[in-house]
Amino acid sequence: MEEEKIKKEAEEEAQAQVDIWKYVFGFTEMAVVKCAIELGIPDFLESQDGQAMTLDGLSAALGCSPSSLYRIMRFLTNRGIFRQVNQGHGCSSQNSTSNAIGSSSITYVQTPLSRLLARNGEKSMAAIVLLESSPVMLSPWLGLGRRVLANSPPPFDTYHGQDLWSYAQNNPAHSKLINDAMACDARVAVSAMINGCPQVFEGISSLVDVGGGDGTALRTLLKACPCIRGINFDLPHVVSFAPHSDGVEHVGGDMFHSVPNADAAFIMGLTSYPFYSMSSGCCMTGEMTSVSAY
Ligand SMILES: C[S@@+](CC[C@H](N)C(=O)[O-])C[C@H]1O[C@@H](n2cnc3c(N)ncnc32)[C@H](O)[C@@H]1O
């Protein structure tokens, strides 16, 4: 019995010594995926219409050295982001390193995961990765300990001296990163809503999307429900850059003061966002017959 306990403890300790490296180098997952998006690897492979692309061809197209690219691709194929196909053998291998680096026999194709990283894909998540991996968003996480100890304001506010939305107002480039990222989320979430519970929108002739970003959610919804008149409500600096779309009116304002009248309102957002409690902070003067949140 004692022997078994000692053996189990030794196994757990050995496993811990392996697992700890996930925390030491955890950031590499995000860094390498960001690198792939910035280099445009998913977009380039997507443009090949399913044809496998050689390592040499890919590095020439991207303007980088085959050996550096090979190391990035080896990491990514190991995670199921891209698939390595060894041409000439008709077989595929995710981890094979047997080919010489730079060999034209190493080729890559897209996978469902890498397709999500193409910038223009219908279900693209590239903009969310680029937002969350930006130094502006990442740095506050590194001060989480101080936030817990001091029960101070959210890490973002403490680090940047202002909340996320004020920061975005003062930094248009970051505001664009946020809006593009939210648009990715909106496309996927609204499509799922329309497919999963279309009855929610029955009988509604006007709908206000509170915190609707650049209006992607309403644009997506109105394709399926063209009879609805959409009001995209967000902060003035956000709606001032929102693209025009028939059937969608952009209104700028502060939801903690009032929101436009409509038959119904919806509020949607990534739950990890510092999107402070609507119920405690806001006073809505609009008439609303139904509200669905998160
Ligand atoms: C997490 S994003 C969600 C965007 C969009 N609903 C989506 O899910 O894709 C929150 C949105 O609320 C907006 N917002 C933040 N504070 C606001 C306020 N006081 N009044 C109106 N909009 C606000 C932000 O500009 C941002 O577009």
Side-chain angles (χ1 to χ4, degrees), residues 33-246:
V33 167
K34 177 184 170 75
C35 165
I37 297 170
E38 286 176 344
L39 290 177
I41 304 172
D43 302 273
F44 187 76
L45 290 181
E46 192 66 20
S47 71
Q48 301 305 300
D49 289 332
Q51 289 288 317
M53 171 51 65
T54 63
L55 175 62
D56 288 346
L58 190 57
S59 59
L62 302 175
C64 53
S65 87
S67 62
S68 302
L69 184 61
Y70 177 73
R71 296 171 77 172
I72 296 291
M73 294 304 281
R74 190 171 56 175
F75 184 104
L76 290 164
T77 52
N78 175 268
R79 268 66 173 180
I81 304 171
F82 308 118
R83 190 159 56 89
Q84 183 177 319
V85 184
N86 297 327
Q87 272 196 343
H89 306 288
C91 63
S92 66
S93 154
Q94 291 206 342
N95 300 315
S96 170
T97 53
S98 57
N99 286 298
I101 295 176
S103 162
S104 59
S105 65
I106 302 177
T107 64
Y108 301 103
V109 291
Q110 293 270 63
T111 63
L113 200 45
S114 66
R115 265 183 214 108
L116 298 181
L117 302 176
R119 285 180 192 249
N120 294 321
E122 190 54 25
K123 295 179 181 167
S124 172
M125 297 293 277
I128 298 190
V129 175
L130 293 178
L131 170 68
E132 295 300 339
S133 60
S134 68
V136 172
M137 299 303 278
L138 267 184
S139 304
W141 282 97
L142 305 178
L144 208 50
R146 277 199 304 280
R147 151 86 162 138
V148 172
L149 277 177
N151 198 22
S152 57
F156 188 98
D157 304 27
T158 307
Y159 188 89
H160 291 290
Q162 55 194 327
D163 67 28
L164 178 60
W165 314 119
S166 306
Y167 184 92
Q169 183 176 358
N170 298 325
N171 295 274
H174 195 70
S175 182
K176 177 157 169 44
L177 268 185
I178 294 177
N179 297 336
D180 290 350
M182 294 308 124
C184 283
D185 179 51
R187 267 188 289 272
V188 175
V190 173
S191 300
M193 266 191 256
I194 295 164
N195 292 332
C197 42
Q199 68 280 6
V200 168
F201 301 103
E202 278 169 18
I204 290 176
S205 61
S206 61
L207 177 70
V208 56
D209 183 2
V210 181
D214 72 356
T216 299
L218 283 177
R219 269 196 300 285
T220 310
L221 178 65
L222 264 60
K223 275 188 201 151
C225 313
C227 295
I228 294 180
R229 184 173 63 86
I231 302 167
N232 180 51
F233 180 71
D234 206 297
L235 294 165
H237 73 272
V238 175
V239 293
S240 62
F241 287 102
H244 169 81
S245 176
D246 287 342

